[in-house]
Amino acid sequence: MRILITGGAGFIGSHLAEAYLRQGDEVYIIDDLSTGSLDNLAHLQANKEYASRLFVHIDTILNRDILLELVGTCEVVFHMAAAVGVQYILDNPLRSIQINIQGTEKVLDMCSKFKKKVLIASSSEVYGKHLHAPLVETDNIIYGPSSKFRWSYAASKLMDEFTALAHYRESGLPAIVVRLFNTVGPRQTGTYGMVIPRLVSQALAGKDLTVYGDGEQSRTFTYVEDVVHALMLLAASSGAHGEVFNIGGVEEISIKNLAYRIVEMTGSSSRVKFIPYKEAFPADFEDMQRRLPSIAKLKNLTGYSPTTDLETILTKVIEFFKAKA
Ligand code: UDP
């Protein structure tokens, strides 16, 4: 099978590429390297068996001609290209909206033209400010005002979802929407805010671990290979067309406890430092206090459950950063 991955040089995209190459498929990638990196693909390009089936195009998904060629060539499209990371969104507000809205629109138009199956990567951000748990795909959504730019990401991803579902309704386009919860693993960078790579590299460098606010906010983390497995199961399931699925973990932890655990596991002499939000982010920033997914819908359709616990995830990320140092 020929698979197109937009954003394939990114953290999740590159793991997805590897999984399809491993099972013998051809993988086409388009990535503008805005947050992705060719370093994420170097080990695949260096692998003789994979290199002949891996085609990498450094370009933007806003380029219609290249999309025409690539979507025309491939059987399944994973649209993973997006502005990601709270820090990146706050630093690049306009570019983030453009890439998320116009980019997805163009990818969907092209998939519609060629009637190709497409999986759209949305985000748990879409749920907005909910405090209840677990979050179910049909939950109502609450956002902050447009003066708080964090919500632009949620709103743009929600618009992507509507556009994909509208294509499904109007023309039967086999589109699948996934809401990815906090995904972690080797090759994720802390540059755009992601907490685990940031805290692990701080601990290994003997620096203070920066916990924002009081650290009582919580998340569930999913190992990237579990996420990739869920994406592949959904892509292979016709029952997923026109539907929205959470993909996430089941083990909830406060950021404060996460930091203490990382200090313990790395054997670091670092301290955990609590940083007021107003020092870490612009004044109009709002954090999410809690984010725990229901994965019942995904499980019912595909039988999927995550298999990597937080202990193993942290061990793998720590090993990755140690090897990089
Ligand atoms: N966070 C933190 N210290 C950091 C980076 C992040 O305390 O150095 C917190 C952040 O405020 C949030 C959680 O960790 O409450 C997860 O942040 P991340 O950016 O990884 O993902 P989010 O869930 O916010 O998209």
Side-chain angles (χ1 to χ4, degrees), residues 160-195:
D160 289 352
E161 294 193 5
F162 276 127
T163 312
L165 298 175
H167 273 284
Y168 174 75
R169 280 199 181 196
E170 288 203 6
S171 67
L173 180 74
I176 303 164
V177 174
V178 296
R179 290 182 180 162
L180 301 176
F181 283 65
N182 297 66
T183 304
V184 287
R187 301 206 291 274
Q188 185 178 39
T189 156
T191 315
Y192 308 109
M194 281 73 167
V195 68

Side-chain angles (χ1 to χ4, degrees), residues 150 182 193-195 198 210-212 217 219 255 287 291:
R150 173 176 194 150
N182 297 66
M194 281 73 167
V195 68
R198 277 177 60 85
T210 56
V211 169
Y212 301 151
Q217 70 273 30
R219 296 291 187 272
I255 300 302
D287 200 5
R291 208 193 254 155

Side-chain angles (χ1 to χ4, degrees), residues 16-75:
L16 185 62
E18 184 164 355
Y20 275 109
L21 289 169
R22 205 181 296 133
Q23 69 174 31
D25 294 302
E26 281 183 20
V27 174
Y28 292 73
I29 284 174
I30 176 166
D31 199 304
D32 68 357
L33 303 184
S34 52
T35 55
S37 164
L38 285 177
D39 291 346
N40 289 335
L41 301 173
H43 65 298
L44 303 177
Q45 287 172 318
N47 179 318
K48 281 205 184 73
E49 202 210 316
Y50 295 169
S52 61
R53 289 185 280 113
L54 176 62
F55 307 93
V56 181
H57 299 261
I58 307 306
D59 211 323
T60 166
I61 50 170
L62 300 175
N63 179 344
R64 191 180 180 278
D65 292 341
I66 184 91
L67 271 191
L68 186 74
E69 182 193 325
L70 292 175
V71 175
T73 304
C74 295
E75 278 105 35

